[in-house]
């Protein structure tokens, strides 16, 4: 759909594309419930860098960890005060391979999840749609959720998201699911 809409050009295409991807949101709880019912028909991927997964934790409900962007230890982002994140050039091909391993094709549902839902979850879903994957959603609020807006734990990611919704998570991702 986004590929067709891009032919419109300019701001109109951006607005329609943003609206189309907004319809592809799914909550952490809805994702978990869908996996309980349709696990064999869905590919659930954690799109964070594997080092981030190692330090923050993950859920073994994911099929695979396939980063959308990876840390570039040679490039520093002065504005954000950390290493730059660069695109994983093989992302779409790695997702297609993971689908194939499950006996699925590009028409199967793919759900992406990052830390917060917006930095990599939503963009990775949009990218996969642009690459011809037909049914892509992203977990709103991602794995860690949003930061608390007040209180002594203000700024800490304690609101919503997979980790804060009482869903299963662990500090140790299954080695067979980890990106290498």
């Amino acid at each position: 759909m986004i590929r067709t809409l891009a032919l419109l050009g300019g701001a109109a295409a951006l607005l329609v594309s943003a609206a189309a991807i907004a319809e592809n949101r799914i909550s952490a709880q809805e994702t978990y419930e869908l996996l309980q019912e349709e696990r064999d028909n869905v590919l659930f991927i954690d799109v964070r860098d594997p080092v981030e997964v190692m330090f923050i934790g993950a859920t073994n409900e994911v099929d695979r960890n396939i980063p959308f962007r990876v840390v570039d230890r040679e490039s520093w982002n002065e504005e954000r005060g950390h290493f730059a994140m660069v695109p994983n050039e093989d992302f779409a091909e790695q997702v297609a391979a993971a689908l194939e391993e499950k006996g699925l094709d590009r028409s199967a549902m793919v759900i992406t999840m990052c830390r917060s839902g917006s930095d990599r979850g939503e963009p990775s879903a949009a990218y996969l749609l642009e690459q011809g994957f037909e049914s892509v959603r992203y977990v709103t609020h991602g794995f860690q959720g949003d930061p608390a807006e007040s209180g002594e734990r203000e700024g800490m990611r304690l609101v919503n998201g997979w980790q804060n919704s009482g869903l299963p998570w662990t500090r140790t991702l299954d080695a067979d699911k980890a990106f290498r």
Side-chain angles (χ1 to χ4, degrees):
M1 180 176 181
I2 289 177
R3 193 174 351 160
T4 304
L5 296 174
L7 297 175
L8 296 173
L14 289 175
L15 289 175
V16 176
S17 296
I21 196 64
E23 293 176 9
N24 294 329
R25 295 177 180 155
I26 186 169
S27 73
Q29 185 65 45
E30 290 168 327
T31 300
Y32 182 73
E33 291 168 6
L34 180 65
L35 292 171
Q36 302 317 300
E37 298 169 9
E38 297 288 330
R39 180 173 305 278
D40 293 340
N41 300 316
V42 175
L43 178 68
F44 183 31
I45 55 176
D46 187 324
V47 298
R48 296 176 293 158
D49 184 272
V51 174
E52 183 179 1
V53 171
M54 181 175 71
F55 285 110
I56 294 175
T59 178
N60 279 317
E61 295 295 321
V62 298
D63 291 296
R64 299 284 299 278
N65 166 227
I66 305 172
F68 181 58
R69 294 189 188 114
V70 293
V71 173
D72 177 0
R73 289 167 185 80
E74 301 295 319
S75 180
W76 186 257
N77 182 327
E78 289 292 336
E79 182 180 315
R80 297 186 88 176
H82 59 69
F83 291 108
M85 300 287 289
V86 297
N88 171 1
E89 299 294 333
D90 299 321
F91 180 70
E93 292 78 22
Q94 292 164 347
V95 172
L99 281 167
E100 189 175 313
E101 286 175 19
K102 282 191 81 164
L104 303 171
D105 61 24
R106 288 176 181 241
S107 67
M109 181 178 293
V110 176
I111 301 174
T112 67
M113 180 173 68
C114 69
R115 181 186 65 153
S116 66
S118 60
D119 286 345
R120 289 159 288 170
E122 184 177 356
S124 64
Y127 178 76
L128 289 173
L129 287 168
E130 290 170 359
Q131 298 301 306
F133 294 80
E134 297 175 22
S135 179
V136 185
R137 303 182 85 179
Y138 70 96
V139 177
T140 55
H141 310 295
F143 179 74
Q144 262 196 319
D146 295 331
E149 293 183 10
S150 62
E152 68 179 54
R153 298 178 84 185
E154 180 179 353
M156 296 180 76
R157 292 189 175 275
L158 301 170
V159 182
N160 55 43
W162 188 281
Q163 193 175 36
N164 298 309
S165 296
L167 298 172
W169 70 277
T170 178
R171 295 260 179 225
T172 310
L173 182 64
D174 179 337
D176 292 334
K177 297 177 181 188
F179 180 80
R180 299 170 194 237

